[in-house]
Coordinates of all heavy atoms in Angstrom, one line a residue:
M1 N -104.9 -67.3 124.5 CA -105.5 -67.8 123.3 C -105.0 -67.0 122.1 O -104.7 -67.6 121.1 CB -107.0 -67.7 123.4 CG -107.8 -68.2 122.2 SD -107.9 -70.0 122.4 CE -109.4 -70.3 121.7
K2 N -104.9 -65.6 122.2 CA -104.5 -64.8 121.1 C -103.0 -65.1 120.8 O -102.6 -65.2 119.7 CB -104.7 -63.3 121.5 CG -104.7 -62.4 120.4 CD -105.0 -61.0 120.9 CE -106.0 -60.3 120.0 NZ -106.2 -58.9 120.4
R3 N -102.2 -65.3 121.9 CA -100.8 -65.6 121.7 C -100.6 -66.9 121.0 O -99.8 -67.1 120.1 CB -100.1 -65.7 123.1 CG -98.6 -66.0 123.0 CD -98.1 -66.1 124.4 NE -98.7 -67.0 125.3 CZ -98.5 -68.3 125.3 NH1 -97.6 -68.8 124.4 NH2 -99.1 -69.1 126.1
V4 N -101.4 -67.9 121.4 CA -101.3 -69.3 120.7 C -101.7 -69.2 119.3 O -101.0 -69.7 118.4 CB -102.2 -70.3 121.5 CG1 -102.2 -71.6 120.7 CG2 -101.7 -70.5 122.9
A5 N -102.8 -68.4 119.0 CA -103.2 -68.3 117.6 C -102.2 -67.6 116.7 O -102.0 -67.9 115.5 CB -104.6 -67.5 117.6
S6 N -101.5 -66.6 117.3 CA -100.5 -65.9 116.5 C -99.3 -66.7 116.2 O -98.6 -66.5 115.2 CB -100.1 -64.6 117.3 OG -99.4 -65.0 118.5
Q7 N -99.1 -67.7 117.0 CA -97.9 -68.6 116.7 C -98.3 -69.8 115.8 O -97.4 -70.5 115.3 CB -97.4 -69.2 118.0 CG -96.9 -68.2 119.0 CD -96.5 -68.7 120.3 OE1 -96.8 -69.9 120.6 NE2 -95.8 -67.9 121.1
F8 N -99.6 -69.9 115.4 CA -100.0 -71.0 114.5 C -99.3 -70.9 113.2 O -98.8 -71.9 112.7 CB -101.5 -71.0 114.4 CG -102.2 -72.0 115.2 CD1 -102.0 -72.1 116.5 CD2 -103.1 -72.9 114.6 CE1 -102.6 -73.0 117.3 CE2 -103.7 -73.8 115.3 CZ -103.5 -73.9 116.7
E9 N -99.4 -69.8 112.5 CA -98.8 -69.7 111.2 C -97.3 -70.0 111.2 O -96.9 -70.7 110.3 CB -99.1 -68.3 110.6 CG -98.6 -68.1 109.2 CD -98.8 -66.7 108.7 OE1 -99.4 -65.9 109.4 OE2 -98.4 -66.4 107.5
K10 N -96.6 -69.4 112.1 CA -95.2 -69.7 112.2 C -94.9 -71.1 112.4 O -94.0 -71.7 111.8 CB -94.6 -68.8 113.3 CG -93.1 -69.0 113.5 CD -92.7 -68.2 114.7 CE -91.2 -68.5 115.0 NZ -90.8 -68.0 116.3
G11 N -95.6 -71.8 113.3 CA -95.4 -73.2 113.6 C -95.7 -74.1 112.5 O -95.0 -75.1 112.2
I12 N -96.8 -73.8 111.8 CA -97.2 -74.7 110.6 C -96.2 -74.6 109.5 O -95.8 -75.6 108.9 CB -98.6 -74.3 110.1 CG1 -99.7 -74.6 111.2 CG2 -99.0 -75.0 108.8 CD1 -99.9 -76.0 111.5
T13 N -95.7 -73.3 109.2 CA -94.7 -73.2 108.2 C -93.4 -73.8 108.5 O -92.6 -74.2 107.7 CB -94.4 -71.7 107.9 OG1 -94.1 -71.0 109.1 CG2 -95.7 -71.0 107.3
E14 N -93.1 -74.0 109.8 CA -91.9 -74.7 110.3 C -92.1 -76.2 110.2 O -91.2 -77.0 110.5 CB -91.5 -74.3 111.7 CG -91.1 -72.8 111.8 CD -90.8 -72.4 113.2 OE1 -91.1 -73.2 114.2 OE2 -90.4 -71.3 113.4
G15 N -93.3 -76.7 110.0 CA -93.5 -78.1 109.9 C -94.0 -78.8 111.1 O -94.1 -80.0 111.2
K16 N -94.4 -78.0 112.1 CA -94.9 -78.6 113.4 C -96.4 -79.1 113.2 O -97.1 -78.6 112.3 CB -94.9 -77.6 114.5 CG -93.5 -77.2 114.9 CD -93.5 -76.2 116.0 CE -92.1 -75.8 116.4 NZ -92.1 -74.8 117.5
T17 N -96.8 -80.0 114.0 CA -98.1 -80.5 113.9 C -99.1 -79.6 114.6 O -98.7 -78.9 115.5 CB -98.2 -82.0 114.5 OG1 -97.9 -81.9 115.9 CG2 -97.3 -82.9 113.8
I18 N -100.3 -79.7 114.3 CA -101.3 -78.9 115.0 C -101.4 -79.2 116.4 O -101.5 -78.3 117.3 CB -102.7 -79.0 114.3 CG1 -102.7 -78.5 112.8 CG2 -103.8 -78.3 115.1 CD1 -103.9 -78.7 112.0
A19 N -101.4 -80.5 116.7 CA -101.5 -80.9 118.1 C -100.3 -80.4 119.0 O -100.5 -79.9 120.1 CB -101.5 -82.4 118.2
S20 N -99.1 -80.3 118.4 CA -98.0 -79.8 119.1 C -98.1 -78.3 119.4 O -97.6 -77.8 120.4 CB -96.7 -80.1 118.4 OG -96.6 -79.4 117.2
L21 N -98.8 -77.6 118.5 CA -99.0 -76.2 118.6 C -100.1 -75.9 119.7 O -100.1 -74.8 120.3 CB -99.4 -75.5 117.3 CG -98.3 -75.6 116.2 CD1 -98.8 -75.1 114.9 CD2 -97.1 -74.7 116.7
L22 N -101.0 -76.8 119.8 CA -102.1 -76.6 120.8 C -101.7 -76.8 122.2 O -102.4 -76.3 123.1 CB -103.3 -77.5 120.4 CG -104.0 -77.2 119.1 CD1 -105.1 -78.3 118.9 CD2 -104.6 -75.8 119.1
V23 N -100.6 -77.6 122.4 CA -100.1 -77.8 123.8 C -99.4 -76.6 124.3 O -98.4 -76.1 123.7 CB -99.2 -79.0 123.8 CG1 -98.6 -79.2 125.2 CG2 -99.9 -80.3 123.3
T24 N -100.0 -76.0 125.3 CA -99.4 -74.8 125.9 C -99.2 -75.0 127.4 O -99.8 -75.9 128.0 CB -100.3 -73.5 125.6 OG1 -101.6 -73.8 126.2 CG2 -100.4 -73.2 124.2
E25 N -98.4 -74.1 128.0 CA -98.2 -74.2 129.4 C -99.4 -73.9 130.2 O -99.7 -74.5 131.3 CB -97.1 -73.2 129.9 CG -95.8 -73.2 129.1 CD -95.9 -72.4 127.8 OE1 -96.5 -71.3 127.8 OE2 -95.3 -72.9 126.8
D26 N -100.3 -73.0 129.7 CA -101.5 -72.6 130.5 C -102.7 -73.4 130.2 O -103.8 -73.1 130.6 CB -101.7 -71.1 130.3 CG -101.9 -70.7 128.8 OD1 -101.8 -71.6 128.0 OD2 -102.3 -69.6 128.6
K27 N -102.5 -74.5 129.5 CA -103.7 -75.4 129.1 C -104.8 -74.7 128.5 O -106.0 -74.8 128.9 CB -104.1 -76.1 130.4 CG -103.0 -76.9 131.1 CD -102.9 -78.2 130.4 CE -101.9 -79.1 131.3 NZ -101.3 -80.2 130.6
T28 N -104.5 -73.9 127.5 CA -105.6 -73.1 126.8 C -106.6 -74.1 126.2 O -107.8 -73.8 126.2 CB -105.0 -72.3 125.7 OG1 -104.0 -71.4 126.2 CG2 -106.0 -71.4 125.0
F29 N -106.2 -75.2 125.6 CA -107.0 -76.2 125.0 C -107.1 -77.4 125.8 O -106.1 -77.9 126.3 CB -106.5 -76.5 123.6 CG -106.5 -75.3 122.7 CD1 -105.3 -74.6 122.5 CD2 -107.6 -74.9 122.0 CE1 -105.2 -73.5 121.6 CE2 -107.6 -73.8 121.2 CZ -106.4 -73.1 121.0
P30 N -108.3 -78.0 126.0 CA -108.4 -79.2 126.8 C -107.6 -80.4 126.2 O -107.4 -80.4 125.0 CB -109.9 -79.6 126.7 CG -110.6 -78.3 126.3 CD -109.6 -77.5 125.5
S31 N -107.1 -81.2 127.1 CA -106.2 -82.3 126.6 C -107.0 -83.2 125.7 O -106.4 -83.9 124.8 CB -105.6 -83.0 127.8 OG -106.6 -83.6 128.6
L32 N -108.3 -83.4 125.9 CA -109.1 -84.2 125.0 C -109.0 -83.7 123.6 O -108.9 -84.6 122.7 CB -110.6 -84.2 125.5 CG -111.6 -84.9 124.6 CD1 -111.3 -86.4 124.6 CD2 -113.0 -84.6 125.0
I33 N -109.1 -82.4 123.3 CA -109.0 -81.9 122.0 C -107.6 -82.2 121.4 O -107.5 -82.6 120.3 CB -109.3 -80.4 122.0 CG1 -110.7 -80.1 122.2 CG2 -108.9 -79.8 120.6 CD1 -111.1 -78.7 122.3
V34 N -106.6 -81.9 122.2 CA -105.2 -82.1 121.7 C -104.9 -83.6 121.4 O -104.4 -83.9 120.3 CB -104.2 -81.6 122.8 CG1 -102.8 -81.9 122.4 CG2 -104.4 -80.1 123.1
Q35 N -105.3 -84.5 122.2 CA -105.1 -85.9 122.0 C -105.9 -86.4 120.8 O -105.5 -87.2 120.0 CB -105.5 -86.7 123.2 CG -104.6 -86.5 124.4 CD -103.1 -86.8 124.1 OE1 -102.8 -87.8 123.4 NE2 -102.2 -86.0 124.6
T36 N -107.2 -85.9 120.6 CA -108.0 -86.3 119.5 C -107.4 -85.8 118.2 O -107.3 -86.5 117.2 CB -109.4 -85.7 119.7 OG1 -109.9 -86.2 120.9 CG2 -110.3 -86.3 118.6
I37 N -106.9 -84.5 118.2 CA -106.3 -84.0 117.0 C -105.0 -84.8 116.7 O -104.7 -85.0 115.5 CB -106.0 -82.5 117.1 CG1 -107.4 -81.8 117.1 CG2 -105.1 -82.0 116.1 CD1 -107.3 -80.3 117.3
K38 N -104.2 -85.1 117.7 CA -103.0 -85.8 117.5 C -103.3 -87.2 116.8 O -102.6 -87.6 115.9 CB -102.3 -86.1 118.8 CG -100.9 -86.7 118.7 CD -100.2 -86.9 120.1 CE -99.9 -85.6 120.7 NZ -99.2 -85.7 122.0
T39 N -104.3 -87.9 117.3 CA -104.7 -89.1 116.7 C -105.2 -89.0 115.3 O -104.8 -89.7 114.4 CB -105.9 -89.8 117.5 OG1 -105.4 -89.9 118.9 CG2 -106.3 -91.1 117.0
G40 N -106.0 -87.9 115.0 CA -106.4 -87.6 113.6 C -105.2 -87.4 112.7 O -105.3 -87.8 111.5
E41 N -104.2 -86.7 113.2 CA -103.0 -86.4 112.4 C -102.3 -87.7 112.0 O -101.8 -87.9 110.9 CB -102.1 -85.4 113.1 CG -102.6 -84.0 113.1 CD -101.8 -83.0 113.9 OE1 -101.1 -83.5 114.8 OE2 -101.8 -81.9 113.6
K42 N -102.2 -88.5 113.0 CA -101.4 -89.8 112.8 C -102.1 -90.8 111.9 O -101.5 -91.5 111.1 CB -101.2 -90.5 114.2 CG -100.1 -89.8 115.0 CD -99.9 -90.6 116.3 CE -98.8 -89.9 117.1 NZ -98.6 -90.6 118.4
T43 N -103.5 -90.8 112.0 CA -104.2 -91.7 111.1 C -104.7 -91.1 109.8 O -105.2 -91.8 109.0 CB -105.5 -92.2 111.9 OG1 -106.3 -91.0 112.2 CG2 -105.1 -92.9 113.2
G44 N -104.4 -89.8 109.6 CA -104.8 -89.2 108.3 C -106.3 -88.9 108.2 O -106.8 -88.6 107.1
T45 N -107.0 -88.8 109.4 CA -108.4 -88.5 109.3 C -108.7 -87.2 110.1 O -109.7 -87.1 110.8 CB -109.2 -89.6 110.0 OG1 -108.7 -89.8 111.3 CG2 -109.1 -90.9 109.2
L46 N -107.8 -86.2 110.0 CA -107.9 -85.0 110.7 C -109.2 -84.2 110.4 O -109.8 -83.7 111.3 CB -106.7 -84.0 110.4 CG -106.6 -82.7 111.2 CD1 -106.6 -83.0 112.7 CD2 -105.4 -81.9 110.8
D47 N -109.6 -84.2 109.1 CA -110.8 -83.5 108.8 C -112.0 -84.1 109.5 O -112.9 -83.4 110.0 CB -111.0 -83.6 107.3 CG -111.0 -85.0 106.7 OD1 -110.5 -85.9 107.3 OD2 -111.6 -85.2 105.6
T48 N -112.1 -85.4 109.6 CA -113.2 -86.1 110.3 C -113.2 -85.8 111.8 O -114.2 -85.5 112.4 CB -113.2 -87.6 110.0 OG1 -113.1 -87.9 108.6 CG2 -114.4 -88.3 110.6
V49 N -112.0 -85.9 112.3 CA -111.8 -85.6 113.7 C -112.2 -84.2 114.1 O -112.9 -83.9 115.1 CB -110.3 -85.9 114.2 CG1 -110.0 -85.3 115.5 CG2 -110.0 -87.3 114.1
L50 N -111.8 -83.2 113.3 CA -112.2 -81.8 113.5 C -113.7 -81.6 113.5 O -114.3 -80.9 114.3 CB -111.5 -80.9 112.6 CG -109.9 -80.8 112.8 CD1 -109.3 -79.9 111.7 CD2 -109.6 -80.2 114.2
V51 N -114.4 -82.3 112.5 CA -115.8 -82.2 112.4 C -116.5 -82.8 113.7 O -117.4 -82.2 114.2 CB -116.3 -82.9 111.1 CG1 -117.8 -83.0 111.1 CG2 -115.9 -82.1 109.9
E52 N -116.0 -83.9 114.1 CA -116.5 -84.6 115.3 C -116.3 -83.7 116.6 O -117.2 -83.6 117.4 CB -115.9 -85.9 115.5 CG -116.3 -87.0 114.5 CD -115.6 -88.3 114.6 OE1 -114.8 -88.4 115.5 OE2 -115.9 -89.2 113.8
I53 N -115.2 -83.0 116.7 CA -114.9 -82.1 117.8 C -115.9 -81.0 117.7 O -116.5 -80.6 118.8 CB -113.5 -81.7 117.8 CG1 -112.5 -82.8 118.2 CG2 -113.3 -80.5 118.8 CD1 -111.0 -82.4 118.0
A54 N -116.1 -80.4 116.6 CA -117.0 -79.3 116.4 C -118.4 -79.7 116.8 O -119.1 -78.9 117.5 CB -116.9 -78.7 115.0
E55 N -118.8 -80.9 116.3 CA -120.2 -81.3 116.6 C -120.4 -81.6 118.1 O -121.4 -81.3 118.7 CB -120.5 -82.6 115.9 CG -120.7 -82.4 114.4 CD -120.8 -83.7 113.6 OE1 -120.6 -84.8 114.2 OE2 -121.1 -83.6 112.4
Y56 N -119.3 -82.1 118.8 CA -119.4 -82.3 120.2 C -119.6 -81.0 121.0 O -120.4 -80.9 121.8 CB -118.1 -83.1 120.7 CG -118.0 -83.2 122.2 CD1 -118.7 -84.1 122.9 CD2 -117.1 -82.3 122.9 CE1 -118.6 -84.2 124.3 CE2 -117.0 -82.4 124.3 CZ -117.7 -83.3 124.9 OH -117.6 -83.4 126.3
Y57 N -118.7 -80.0 120.7 CA -118.8 -78.8 121.4 C -120.1 -78.0 121.0 O -120.6 -77.2 121.8 CB -117.6 -78.0 121.2 CG -116.5 -78.4 122.1 CD1 -115.4 -79.2 121.6 CD2 -116.5 -78.2 123.5 CE1 -114.4 -79.7 122.5 CE2 -115.5 -78.7 124.3 CZ -114.5 -79.4 123.8 OH -113.5 -79.9 124.7
E58 N -120.6 -78.2 119.8 CA -121.8 -77.5 119.4 C -123.0 -78.1 120.3 O -123.9 -77.4 120.8 CB -122.1 -77.8 118.0 CG -123.3 -77.0 117.4 CD -123.5 -77.2 115.9 OE1 -122.5 -77.4 115.2 OE2 -124.6 -77.1 115.5
A59 N -123.0 -79.4 120.5 CA -124.0 -80.1 121.3 C -123.9 -79.6 122.7 O -124.9 -79.4 123.4 CB -123.9 -81.6 121.2
E60 N -122.6 -79.5 123.2 CA -122.4 -79.0 124.6 C -123.0 -77.6 124.8 O -123.6 -77.3 125.8 CB -120.9 -79.0 124.9 CG -120.3 -80.4 125.2 CD -120.7 -80.9 126.5 OE1 -120.7 -80.2 127.5 OE2 -121.1 -82.1 126.5
L61 N -122.8 -76.8 123.8 CA -123.3 -75.4 123.9 C -124.8 -75.4 123.8 O -125.4 -74.6 124.6 CB -122.7 -74.6 122.7 CG -123.2 -73.1 122.6 CD1 -122.7 -72.3 123.8 CD2 -122.7 -72.5 121.3
E62 N -125.4 -76.2 123.0 CA -126.8 -76.2 122.9 C -127.4 -76.7 124.2 O -128.4 -76.2 124.7 CB -127.3 -77.1 121.8 CG -127.1 -76.5 120.4 CD -127.4 -77.4 119.3 OE1 -128.0 -78.5 119.5 OE2 -127.2 -77.1 118.1
D63 N -126.8 -77.7 124.8 CA -127.3 -78.2 126.1 C -127.2 -77.1 127.2 O -128.1 -77.0 128.0 CB -126.5 -79.5 126.5 CG -126.9 -80.7 125.7 OD1 -127.9 -80.6 125.0 OD2 -126.1 -81.7 125.7
G64 N -126.1 -76.4 127.2 CA -125.9 -75.4 128.2 C -126.9 -74.2 128.0 O -127.5 -73.7 129.0
L65 N -127.2 -73.9 126.8 CA -128.2 -72.8 126.5 C -129.6 -73.3 126.9 O -130.4 -72.5 127.4 CB -128.1 -72.4 125.0 CG -127.0 -71.5 124.6 CD1 -127.0 -71.3 123.1 CD2 -127.0 -70.2 125.3
K66 N -129.9 -74.6 126.6 CA -131.2 -75.1 127.0 C -131.4 -75.1 128.5 O -132.4 -74.7 129.0 CB -131.3 -76.5 126.4 CG -132.7 -77.1 126.4 CD -132.8 -78.5 125.9 CE -132.3 -78.5 124.5 NZ -132.4 -79.9 123.9
D67 N -130.3 -75.5 129.2 CA -130.4 -75.4 130.7 C -130.6 -74.0 131.2 O -131.4 -73.7 132.1 CB -129.2 -76.0 131.3 CG -129.0 -77.5 131.1 OD1 -130.1 -78.1 130.7 OD2 -127.9 -78.1 131.2
F68 N -129.9 -73.0 130.6 CA -130.0 -71.6 131.0 C -131.4 -71.1 130.7 O -131.9 -70.4 131.6 CB -128.9 -70.8 130.2 CG -129.0 -69.3 130.5 CD1 -128.6 -68.8 131.7 CD2 -129.5 -68.5 129.5 CE1 -128.7 -67.5 132.0 CE2 -129.6 -67.1 129.8 CZ -129.2 -66.6 131.0
M69 N -131.9 -71.4 129.6 CA -133.3 -71.0 129.3 C -134.3 -71.6 130.2 O -135.3 -71.0 130.5 CB -133.6 -71.3 127.8 CG -132.8 -70.4 126.8 SD -132.9 -68.7 127.1 CE -134.6 -68.4 126.7
T70 N -134.1 -72.8 130.6 CA -135.0 -73.5 131.5 C -135.0 -72.8 132.8 O -136.1 -72.7 133.5 CB -134.6 -75.0 131.7 OG1 -134.6 -75.6 130.4 CG2 -135.5 -75.7 132.7
I71 N -133.9 -72.3 133.3 CA -133.8 -71.5 134.5 C -134.4 -70.1 134.3 O -135.0 -69.6 135.2 CB -132.4 -71.5 135.0 CG1 -131.9 -72.9 135.4 CG2 -132.2 -70.5 136.2 CD1 -130.5 -73.0 135.7
L72 N -134.1 -69.5 133.2 CA -134.5 -68.1 132.9 C -136.0 -67.9 132.8 O -136.5 -66.9 133.2 CB -133.7 -67.6 131.7 CG -133.9 -66.1 131.4 CD1 -133.3 -65.3 132.6 CD2 -133.2 -65.8 130.1
E73 N -136.7 -68.9 132.2 CA -138.1 -68.7 131.9 C -138.9 -68.5 133.2 O -139.7 -67.5 133.2 CB -138.6 -69.9 131.2 CG -138.3 -69.9 129.7 CD -138.7 -71.2 129.0 OE1 -139.6 -71.9 129.5 OE2 -138.3 -71.4 127.8
P74 N -138.8 -69.2 134.2 CA -139.6 -68.9 135.5 C -139.2 -67.6 136.1 O -140.1 -66.9 136.6 CB -139.2 -70.1 136.4 CG -138.7 -71.1 135.6 CD -138.0 -70.5 134.4
V75 N -138.0 -67.2 136.0 CA -137.6 -65.9 136.5 C -138.3 -64.7 135.7 O -138.8 -63.8 136.3 CB -136.0 -65.7 136.5 CG1 -135.6 -64.3 136.8 CG2 -135.4 -66.7 137.4
I76 N -138.3 -64.9 134.4 CA -139.0 -63.9 133.6 C -140.5 -63.8 133.9 O -141.1 -62.8 134.0 CB -138.8 -64.1 132.1 CG1 -137.3 -63.9 131.8 CG2 -139.7 -63.3 131.2 CD1 -136.9 -64.3 130.3
M77 N -141.1 -65.0 134.1 CA -142.5 -65.1 134.4 C -142.8 -64.4 135.8 O -143.8 -63.7 135.9 CB -143.0 -66.5 134.5 CG -143.0 -67.2 133.1 SD -144.0 -66.3 131.9 CE -145.6 -66.7 132.5
L78 N -141.9 -64.6 136.8 CA -142.1 -63.9 138.1 C -142.0 -62.4 137.9 O -142.8 -61.7 138.5 CB -141.0 -64.4 139.1 CG -141.3 -65.8 139.6 CD1 -140.1 -66.3 140.4 CD2 -142.5 -65.8 140.5
F79 N -141.0 -62.0 137.1 CA -140.9 -60.5 136.9 C -142.1 -59.9 136.2 O -142.6 -58.9 136.7 CB -139.6 -60.3 136.1 CG -139.4 -58.8 135.8 CD1 -138.9 -58.0 136.7 CD2 -139.6 -58.4 134.5 CE1 -138.7 -56.6 136.5 CE2 -139.4 -57.0 134.2 CZ -139.0 -56.2 135.2
I80 N -142.6 -60.6 135.2 CA -143.8 -60.1 134.5 C -145.0 -60.1 135.4 O -145.8 -59.2 135.5 CB -144.0 -60.9 133.2 CG1 -142.9 -60.6 132.2 CG2 -145.4 -60.6 132.6 CD1 -143.0 -61.5 131.0
G81 N -145.1 -61.2 136.2 CA -146.2 -61.2 137.2 C -146.2 -60.1 138.2 O -147.2 -59.5 138.5
A82 N -145.0 -59.8 138.7 CA -144.8 -58.8 139.7 C -145.1 -57.4 139.0 O -145.8 -56.6 139.7 CB -143.4 -58.8 140.3
A83 N -144.7 -57.2 137.8 CA -145.0 -56.0 137.1 C -146.5 -55.8 136.9 O -147.0 -54.7 137.1 CB -144.2 -55.9 135.8
V84 N -147.1 -56.8 136.4 CA -148.6 -56.7 136.2 C -149.3 -56.5 137.5 O -150.2 -55.7 137.6 CB -149.1 -58.0 135.5 CG1 -150.6 -58.1 135.5 CG2 -148.6 -58.1 134.1
G85 N -148.9 -57.2 138.6 CA -149.5 -57.0 139.9 C -149.4 -55.6 140.4 O -150.3 -55.0 140.9
A86 N -148.2 -55.0 140.2 CA -147.9 -53.6 140.6 C -148.8 -52.7 139.8 O -149.3 -51.7 140.4 CB -146.4 -53.3 140.4
M87 N -148.9 -52.9 138.5 CA -149.8 -52.0 137.7 C -151.2 -52.1 138.1 O -151.9 -51.1 138.2 CB -149.6 -52.4 136.2 CG -148.4 -51.8 135.6 SD -148.5 -52.1 133.8 CE -147.1 -53.2 133.6
V88 N -151.7 -53.3 138.4 CA -153.1 -53.5 138.8 C -153.3 -52.7 140.1 O -154.3 -52.0 140.3 CB -153.4 -55.0 139.0 CG1 -154.7 -55.2 139.7 CG2 -153.5 -55.6 137.6
I89 N -152.4 -52.9 141.1 CA -152.5 -52.2 142.4 C -152.5 -50.7 142.2 O -153.3 -49.9 142.8 CB -151.5 -52.7 143.4 CG1 -151.7 -54.1 143.8 CG2 -151.4 -51.8 144.6 CD1 -150.7 -54.7 144.6
L90 N -151.6 -50.2 141.3 CA -151.5 -48.8 141.1 C -152.7 -48.2 140.4 O -153.1 -47.0 140.6 CB -150.2 -48.4 140.3 CG -148.9 -48.6 141.0 CD1 -147.7 -48.5 140.1 CD2 -148.8 -47.7 142.2
I91 N -153.4 -49.0 139.6 CA -154.6 -48.5 138.9 C -155.8 -48.6 139.8 O -156.7 -47.7 139.8 CB -154.8 -49.2 137.6 CG1 -153.6 -48.9 136.6 CG2 -156.1 -48.9 136.9 CD1 -153.6 -49.7 135.3
I92 N -156.0 -49.7 140.5 CA -157.2 -50.0 141.2 C -157.2 -49.3 142.6 O -158.2 -48.9 143.1 CB -157.4 -51.5 141.4 CG1 -157.7 -52.1 140.0 CG2 -158.6 -51.8 142.3 CD1 -157.9 -53.6 140.0
A93 N -156.1 -49.2 143.2 CA -156.0 -48.5 144.6 C -156.6 -47.1 144.6 O -157.3 -46.8 145.5 CB -154.5 -48.6 145.1
P94 N -156.3 -46.3 143.6 CA -156.9 -44.9 143.7 C -158.4 -45.0 143.5 O -159.1 -44.1 144.0 CB -156.2 -44.2 142.5 CG -155.0 -44.9 142.2 CD -155.2 -46.3 142.6
I95 N -158.9 -45.9 142.8 CA -160.4 -46.0 142.6 C -161.1 -46.3 143.9 O -162.2 -45.7 144.2 CB -160.7 -47.2 141.6 CG1 -160.2 -46.8 140.2 CG2 -162.2 -47.4 141.5 CD1 -160.3 -47.9 139.2
Y96 N -160.6 -47.1 144.8 CA -161.2 -47.4 146.1 C -160.8 -46.5 147.2 O -161.3 -46.6 148.3 CB -160.9 -48.9 146.5 CG -161.6 -49.8 145.6 CD1 -160.9 -50.6 144.7 CD2 -163.0 -50.0 145.6 CE1 -161.5 -51.5 143.9 CE2 -163.6 -50.9 144.8 CZ -162.9 -51.7 143.9 OH -163.6 -52.6 143.1
S97 N -159.9 -45.6 147.0 CA -159.5 -44.7 148.1 C -160.3 -43.4 148.1 O -161.1 -43.0 147.3 CB -158.1 -44.4 148.1 OG -157.7 -43.7 146.9

């Protein structure tokens, strides 16, 4: 990614398109992004296309975080419950012994 980004300035000043710069051997960028940017460059709507790509990936990130939090909440509750149970046992056990 760093290598591709460092070649951006050089490629743009040489007159290359953004889509042609995004195509790399190691597939750093998904082909969906490259093809969408290529279409935006050809139709003259690159600004709109870039905003739509950003919104798409922002929604993907939000969905992923929401799923992660959905899984994480019960785990945290179990941990807190175990901690409270351990404290109760540690406090009450000496009283009855």
Side-chain angles (χ1 to χ4, degrees):
M1 184 81 143
K2 202 176 221 183
R3 180 183 56 80
V4 174
S6 67
Q7 295 175 351
F8 257 53
E9 183 180 357
K10 180 183 171 192
I12 295 295
T13 56
E14 291 175 357
K16 294 182 180 178
T17 63
I18 295 173
S20 67
L21 294 171
L22 293 177
V23 176
T24 58
E25 308 83 38
D26 58 354
K27 303 277 187 196
T28 304
F29 299 97
S31 62
L32 175 66
I33 290 178
V34 176
Q35 293 300 323
T36 307
I37 289 175
K38 188 182 290 186
T39 303
E41 288 175 332
K42 286 182 181 178
T43 60
T45 59
L46 183 60
D47 56 337
T48 306
V49 166
L50 291 174
V51 169
E52 289 174 1
I53 290 173
E55 288 172 352
Y56 171 77
Y57 280 104
E58 186 176 332
E60 285 287 314
L61 178 65
E62 287 177 6
D63 289 344
L65 285 173
K66 194 180 298 182
D67 292 344
F68 176 71
M69 292 305 294
T70 301
I71 293 170
L72 187 62
E73 284 177 11
V75 172
I76 291 173
M77 294 301 289
L78 286 172
F79 178 74
I80 291 172
V84 168
M87 281 190 245
V88 167
I89 290 172
L90 290 172
I91 292 172
I92 295 180
I95 293 173
Y96 290 110
S97 60

